[in-house]
Amino acid sequence: MKERSILALVIITLVMLAIGYLVAINVDVMPVAASSRALLVDDLARILFGLATVVFIIVQGALIYAVVRFRKRKGDNSDAIQYRGNNTLELIWTVIPAILVTFIGIYSFRVLSEIEVHSDDEMVVEVIGQQFIWQFRYPSYDVRTQELHLPVGQQVRFEITTLDVIHSFWVPAFRAKRDATPGQVSELVITPTELGSYPIRCAELCGVGHSVMNSLVTVESEEDFLKWIAEQSGVLPTPDLEETGSIPAETEIAAEPAQLVGSSIFGRYDCGVCHVLDDAGGFGHVGPTLEGIGETAAAREPAVDARAYLLKSITRPDAFVVAGYSAGSMPQNYEDRISSEELEVLVDYLLTQ
Ligand code: HEC
Ligand SMILES: [Cu+2]
């Protein structure tokens, strides 16, 4: 009897190990692995999946066995046999999980420390989240874009921030995700290894436009990357970081055509990523086109003149919501970010459109 149950135990253990192994090598739920860290993360996920499958089968198997084997049979009204404690059993189900958890802990820690290693020649890319777009700045090239391009094999350090609420920068193909937290710069290191284009998502519910807060990363050869960078220069005006958002003294404004100042403010605050406005390089379709806004603004609200309408549309976007768009989809913090002088110039500029 004793020999037979030991044999059964050995067979069950071997079968379980085989099932776990088969599951581990066959799970294929992940997207393309396009970065060096992706391979390590995938191996970890595989092993966890295999272990979890074995634990699941054993626990559910024991449960089903007990339910069937010890069910109440017809005509049997006797009490069940009473057991009190079983040291062997308790030892087994304490020691085995303890070993498993320790193994998983050490293994995960090793993967974590390996994927966060920095190299000396990393390229810095600033990632800026904002309702509901991602922007990328390449400080070494003085370029700002809405699409991410990376040279293959080059380690990149993302410096992730947000202009408003919490977002989360997520590139599933890189197995990389990090929160963009207000007032803080979070870092994330990756090395892209596979050529191709992969989705970028926001992984933190950040408002009504959260589901459209997507972009694309293109991993390409260094040559193509440099070509692309050269094409990007000057597409979006790069904000001068020293310039804290206030415009030069009035005399200087007068010296420069107001139109130009207006369109540069439009560019500096990224209005163009959500609004079409050819004159200022605006190309976005998140909000209504601002082509001809000078005239439409007057007709929007019977009781409000065009100037007041525009001012309010920018500082309190939810005060008037254009038909077909939802409240909350334009950033709510321009009132704090744009000085009143700049606002004046911006509104004057929009009125001329
Ligand atoms: C993240 C996207 C986004 C950004 C950035 C953005 N807007 Fe908007 N904007 C919208 C949306 C969406 C609407 C329509 C909903 C509403 O009225 O609030 C809108 C509405 C407007 C309107 C009213 C348009 C009309 O036809 O009545 C004006 C004017 C406007 N925005 C100006 C600006 C200016 C100026 C900036 C930059 C300082 C800017 N927006 C930045 C998304 C954006
Ligand atoms: Cu977001």
Side-chain angles (χ1 to χ4, degrees), residues 248-311:
E250 268 168 60
T251 46
E252 283 176 61
I253 297 181
E256 233 188 298
Q259 284 293 95
L260 268 185
V261 181
S263 80
S264 86
I265 295 174
F266 190 88
R268 187 183 314 150
Y269 290 100
D270 310 315
C271 313
V273 296
C274 291
H275 293 289
V276 170
L277 186 60
D278 266 349
D279 188 62
F283 55 82
H285 289 281
V286 179
T289 170
L290 295 182
E291 227 57 272
I293 186 68
E295 278 154 35
T296 33
R300 282 282 193 231
E301 295 284 322
V304 185
D305 70 27
R307 179 157 240 293
Y309 173 81
L310 287 180
L311 205 59

Side-chain angles (χ1 to χ4, degrees), residues 27 54 76-77 80 100 103 106 108 123 132 135 161 166 180 190 193 201 217 243 258-259 281 299 302 336 339:
V27 279
V54 170
D76 175 8
N77 283 327
L100 282 182
F103 164 74
I106 294 174
S108 313
M123 175 172 93
F132 299 97
Q135 287 189 69
T161 52
I166 302 177
I190 63 113
T193 51
R201 307 237 177 274
V217 51
E243 195 181 317
Q259 284 293 95
D336 307 327
S339 72

